[in-house]
Amino acid sequence: MAEESFRGQSVRSLPRANKRYQADRTCASPGCRTKLSIYNKWDYCWQHEPVHTYVARGKRRSRKEMEAA
Ligand SMILES: [Zn+2]
């Protein structure tokens, strides 16, 4: 009965934001017991997390870089 009602529904209403991670995690850095947020996707606390490679927003290349490219 309940299964039948699911069949017709679209599957695109999956929540993307607010993804939660395992609770009660602590920082992976040795000796650090900082508790990690369930919203933190990293294994380290904010103090120990490695530098992430991310697309810097708003950063513009200088003219010299543009000319060199
Ligand atoms: Zn830490």
Side-chain angles (χ1 to χ4, degrees), residues 1 3-4 8 11 21 30 32 45-46 53 58 66:
M1 288 159 72
E3 287 178 16
E4 288 293 331
V11 196
Y21 298 87
C32 182
C45 70
W46 62 273
T53 55
M66 295 282 278

Side-chain angles (χ1 to χ4, degrees), residues 33-51:
R33 303 208 168 192
T34 303
K35 210 173 169 187
L36 298 178
S37 167
I38 57 176
Y39 300 106
N40 183 359
K41 65 186 280 189
W42 312 109
D43 290 330
Y44 295 87
C45 70
W46 62 273
Q47 285 180 303
H48 293 116
E49 71 177 53
V51 177

Side-chain angles (χ1 to χ4, degrees), residues 1-2 5 13 15 17 30 34-35 37 43 50 52 54 61 64:
M1 288 159 72
S5 63
S13 59
T34 303
K35 210 173 169 187
S37 167
D43 290 330
H52 308 302
Y54 64 97
R61 302 170 77 185
K64 282 183 181 175

